[in-house]
Amino acid sequence: MENDFFESLKHELTACGKSLGEVGRLRLIGIVSRILGLFLLIFTVVLCVFALLAFGAVAALHAMTSVMPLWAAALILGAGYILLIIVVIACRKPLFIHPFIRLMSKQLGSEEELALKTLEAEHQAELDYLRIENRVENATREVNFYISFIGRAWSWLSSLLHKK
């Protein structure tokens, strides 16, 4: 009986550890994907700015000055790059964050799914913890019952022996 108790307790502790490990893994995926997504967003914006200043601006301005004034060509080109930056910022989650979540966790595709999986893992860890706590409490109550029973039996036997 004691062996079964320790085996089941060992099994439940292992399950609790796995649940806590899953919670940690999912939280780490969320943090790393946000960091990498933000890094890639910044990197993309910087690259767009460099492209605006160096490569595209000079070539496009030179091409457009043959049909319009220089100031109009510069305004059109600037508006195009500003529009591109706005689109990148507006679409940052599907462009940067969600691909990293999919990459780091094969089953998940978005932050919402990651949040749901994290919530499920936290709930499972709580259940495992409560199950272990309940088994330990029951074992403690059982041991206390037996100790109390043996103590009362001893008291009763000793009182019988002292009467004679």
Side-chain angles (χ1 to χ4, degrees), residues 16-137:
C16 183
K18 286 180 182 177
S19 296
L20 290 174
E22 182 70 13
V23 168
R25 186 181 74 85
L26 292 172
R27 285 185 179 171
L28 182 66
I29 288 172
I31 291 168
V32 169
S33 66
R34 283 189 204 99
I35 290 171
L36 288 176
L38 184 60
F39 170 74
L40 283 177
L41 174 68
I42 291 169
F43 186 69
T44 302
V45 169
V46 167
L47 282 180
C48 284
V49 168
F50 283 150
L52 169 71
L53 295 175
F55 189 69
V58 174
L61 285 174
H62 183 54
M64 287 192 281
T65 53
S66 63
V67 292
M68 65 179 69
L70 181 60
W71 62 269
L75 285 177
I76 291 171
L77 191 62
Y81 278 115
I82 288 173
L83 183 64
L84 180 63
I85 290 171
I86 289 171
V87 167
V88 166
I89 289 173
C91 299
R92 70 183 176 273
K93 284 188 179 183
L95 288 175
F96 304 114
I97 295 174
H98 295 170
F100 280 107
I101 291 174
R102 271 191 296 276
L103 179 70
M104 295 171 81
S105 170
K106 301 295 182 198
Q107 308 104 5
L108 305 176
S110 67
E111 280 185 301
E112 293 79 22
E113 289 179 33
L114 177 64
L116 285 174
K117 281 288 194 183
T118 303
L119 192 61
E120 285 178 19
E122 287 173 349
H123 179 67
Q124 186 61 41
E126 264 183 57
L127 288 177
D128 290 341
Y129 176 75
L130 287 174
R131 192 176 302 121
I132 290 170
E133 185 179 344
N134 193 15
R135 286 185 64 75
V136 169
E137 189 175 303

